[in-house]
Amino acid sequence: VPQTFLGSHEDAMSHKGRQDGELQWNLSPWRLGIAYVQRAVRILQEPGYQELRRVVVRRFDADIPMDLLISFSNCFEPFSSSGRKLQFGEIELPVDTIAEVLNESLEANAIVVLRFVSELDLTCISESYDAQAAAKVLTNVLTQNTHVEKVVVRQRHLGPTEVRELLRALLSSSVEYLDLCSNPLTKAGGEYVAQTLRGQ
């Protein structure tokens, strides 16, 4: 962990990070690995740093444990007008929908950011993520998520196998709307979707 990162929270507290009247801790210059996130969680949980009202991030390593990412997410209260805010790049959370989060460090970014998003649209993400990768991310993320209510997965080449995995995750999530139009589900896949939605 570079010295510039180690002292960045003190720079923010010394009013160098003031943005729109708030003290802002800008972590966007660094790709955040395990040691970075562990230190950020410790600092954000300390009473002496409650004045840090906004934290800006852009990239997470993909190998960060899920429980650590959730601990980081829990340092924020974006749905409260007076709570600490999380900003992903230029996007202040919470937002209704977001696509940028899934285009770099796919899963790690999604686990954090999608806790503050109500709609997930995979139609616009990079074609470099195939159906299996998209389904895996959705499955892992949605089982840990309590805010996403709408999922749109049009034209992502999802077959019966990917749809089965996705539906299993959705059953234990907060999702109320699912759009699978223009995917090669096959007749068997469509029947499975119908049976699952009927609770069979």
Side-chain angles (χ1 to χ4, degrees), residues 138-153:
L138 278 173
T139 299
N140 290 340
V141 170
L142 291 175
T143 55
Q144 301 294 326
N145 189 278
T146 58
H147 297 296
V148 173
E149 298 175 350
K150 180 178 180 179
V151 175
V152 179
V153 200

Side-chain angles (χ1 to χ4, degrees), residues 6-18:
L6 294 176
S8 61
H9 63 293
E10 295 295 352
D11 287 341
M13 289 295 291
S14 67
H15 301 276
K16 294 179 182 179
R18 189 171 291 280

